[in-house]
Structures are given as structure tokens and as C-alpha cells.
Amino acid sequence: MTKTIFITGASSGIGKATAKLFAAKGWKVIATMRKPASETELNLLENVTLLPLDVTDRRQIEATTRKALTLGEIDVVFNNAGYALLGGLEAITDDQLVHQMETNFLGVVRVTQAFIPYFREKKAGLFITTGSSAGLMGFPVSSMYDASKWALEGWSESLSFELNQFGISIKTIEPGLVATEIGAKSVVALHPAYQTLLDKFQAAISTDQVSTSEQIAEVVYEAATDGKNTLRYVCGEDAKALYARRLEVGDEAFREGIKQMMNAL
């Protein structure tokens, strides 16, 4: 039987690559985005349905969930919508920090909450979330972005105990740097006191050692089809190496290594 995946943030990057991959694998795809009328690729694919969804809009989450469930059974919900807010905390406005958490964390929570009753009644279902290596390790001038991703980590682990008893799984993919539009879409809060550190951090992440959206989409597909009850999928060679280093040397030595790397730039 053909399976269906519901994807948030499908207009670009990992979301779009995942929509294309699952469609190519014969899945039905419900691809959601804030402005589906602007989409020029996914709308051409026969087994892809576009729906409008801004994950910061609670009413639209409820309406789009209801609409999606009228289209047939849904097997996987991929919570992918998000963006990066960078800069010193002192420079970040209250509106900016609230919007970061509304999008990256509460948006995921609310979309998940909307689908749980359906999956519970069905006694099956899978939630996959785009986390980040920044949810496993903290980096400079990224406090609110990292906070949103760390929040997803604790939330997912705790929620797994609630969901697993009903045959529902929850998984998080943890990519490192990905060559997507997230860099262009990043919101950067500027403050002269933190400019040097910001410049160094942006230089550090301007590297050729990045994963493609298509490579991360393959990990999403693996998570959706491997039948394992694995909570975290660390992906991307940079993320794997950094996280292994963190586990090997411990928190403080790892933090010192990040400081030294920044000082060397």
C-alpha cells in the first residue's frame, strides 16, 4: 500500500529535497509551505499535494492538519520548518527570540500535537524532526538557535515514552552544516561588541565540508523506513566528527577546543 508523508517547510532545502525523494520512491507527499502559490517544482509532481502552512499560526496548523487527513491515511509527519537566528543575545530583540522559538520549537510541538490523536487511534505513526548538531553542542553567537534545537532534543526524548506505548515513534535527524538556503535565510542580529566573534564564527562555517540537502533527505528516508526505534540520527561527516569529539573529550575540553578554534581565525 502506498504510504504518505506530511512535510513542513517544503519550499526549499531539506524539506524540498525530502519531498522530491519520497515522491520518487513512490510515496504520496503532502508538502506544506507558507506560500504554495510560489512553488514551481513540487507542484509539477503527480504524487505531491501542496498545502499552505505557517507553523507559527496555530489556527492554520489545525486547519491544514484537518485538510491533510481528509486526503487519506498519513504515515509519517516530518517537522522540518525552521531558520537560524544568529548574533549576540544582547543584540536580539524580544520579537526575534520569540519568533525563533515559535518557529523552530513550538511550531514542531504544535504540529505534532495536532497529529497525535490520529496516530494514537491508528496505533501507528512516525514523527521525524529536523534537529541539528547545534542541538547536541553549543556554538558561539547562536544561543537562541541552539536553544531551539536543544529544546527539541529533550522534548523528543521525553515524548518518546508517551508515544511508544501507542505504537508511535519519534525520531530526530541531527545534520551538521548543510548547503541549503538557511544561510541566506538566517536572521543576524548585529552589535559592535560581538562583531569580531560573529565574523569568526561565520568564517568557521564557510567551509566546503558540508552536506547537501539531498544527502540529508536520504537520512530522513532511512529514518522513515528502517523500522528501528532509534531516537537520534547524527548525519553529515562534520556533525559525526564533532559529536564524537565531544563525547570523547568531555564538555569542558570540547568547549575549550571551540574557543581555541575561534581564536585561531
Side-chain angles (χ1 to χ4, degrees):
M1 192 175 78
T2 302
K3 290 193 171 186
T4 301
I5 184 171
F6 177 98
I7 302 174
T8 71
S11 64
S12 62
I14 295 170
K16 177 174 277 190
T18 299
K20 288 180 177 178
L21 176 63
F22 276 72
K25 297 281 190 180
W27 285 53
K28 291 181 180 177
V29 177
I30 301 173
T32 73
M33 58 196 70
R34 285 176 296 176
K35 298 176 181 178
S38 301
E39 178 57 39
T40 59
E41 291 183 80
L42 298 180
N43 59 309
L44 303 178
L45 300 179
E46 186 178 339
N47 46 341
V48 175
T49 300
L50 301 185
L51 291 178
L53 182 58
D54 178 344
V55 298
T56 67
D57 185 335
R58 280 177 283 179
R59 288 184 180 179
Q60 194 173 52
I61 288 173
E62 293 168 5
T64 298
T65 300
R66 284 195 301 268
K67 174 65 176 175
L69 291 173
T70 67
L71 300 175
E73 289 203 7
I74 292 174
D75 303 280
V76 179
V77 171
F78 178 35
N79 282 303
N80 171 70
Y83 70 98
L85 172 61
L86 304 177
L89 182 61
E90 188 178 351
I92 294 173
T93 67
D94 191 70
D95 285 347
Q96 286 175 327
L97 68 86
V98 168
H99 193 261
Q100 177 78 127
M101 298 305 287
E102 286 271 0
T103 304
N104 289 15
F105 178 57
L106 292 178
V108 174
V109 171
R110 288 167 178 156
V111 170
T112 300
Q113 200 172 36
F115 277 98
I116 287 175
Y118 167 74
F119 280 161
R120 180 168 54 77
E121 188 174 327
K122 185 178 163 179
K123 294 184 172 58
L126 169 62
F127 293 103
I128 303 175
T129 304
T130 298
S132 170
S133 57
L136 303 171
M137 303 163 275
F139 297 99
V141 291
S142 312
S143 63
M144 290 313 303
Y145 176 71
D146 292 3
S148 70
K149 295 300 186 179
W150 280 61
L152 288 172
E153 292 298 323
W155 170 80
S156 299
E157 187 164 329
S158 176
L159 190 59
S160 68
F161 297 107
E162 297 175 30
L163 299 182
N164 288 171
Q165 64 179 322
F166 301 116
I168 306 167
S169 296
I170 185 164
K171 300 183 174 186
T172 307
I173 60 166
E174 322 276 9
L177 294 170
V178 183
T180 72
E181 293 88 342
I182 193 168
K185 289 182 177 177
S186 294
V187 175
V188 182
L190 300 176
H191 190 295
Y194 305 96
Q195 192 60 48
T196 298
L197 183 59
L198 178 62
D199 290 343
K200 287 184 175 183
F201 179 69
Q202 290 182 314
I205 63 176
S206 298
T207 172
D208 293 333
Q209 296 183 341
V210 297
S211 302
T212 65
S213 297
E214 289 73 22
Q215 287 172 321
I216 304 305
E218 292 283 357
V219 178
V220 179
Y221 187 78
E222 176 189 351
T225 59
D226 64 9
K228 298 177 181 177
N229 196 29
T230 303
L231 182 63
R232 295 182 177 93
Y233 291 71
V234 180
C235 46
E237 294 308 310
D238 58 333
K240 289 178 182 177
L242 270 178
Y243 190 48
R245 179 68 176 163
R246 171 82 174 226
L247 296 177
E248 178 188 357
V249 303
D251 293 354
E252 297 312 317
F254 181 82
R255 287 201 313 123
E256 188 59 35
I258 294 291
K259 288 182 198 173
Q260 291 175 3
M261 181 178 72
M262 291 294 103
N263 290 335
L265 290 171

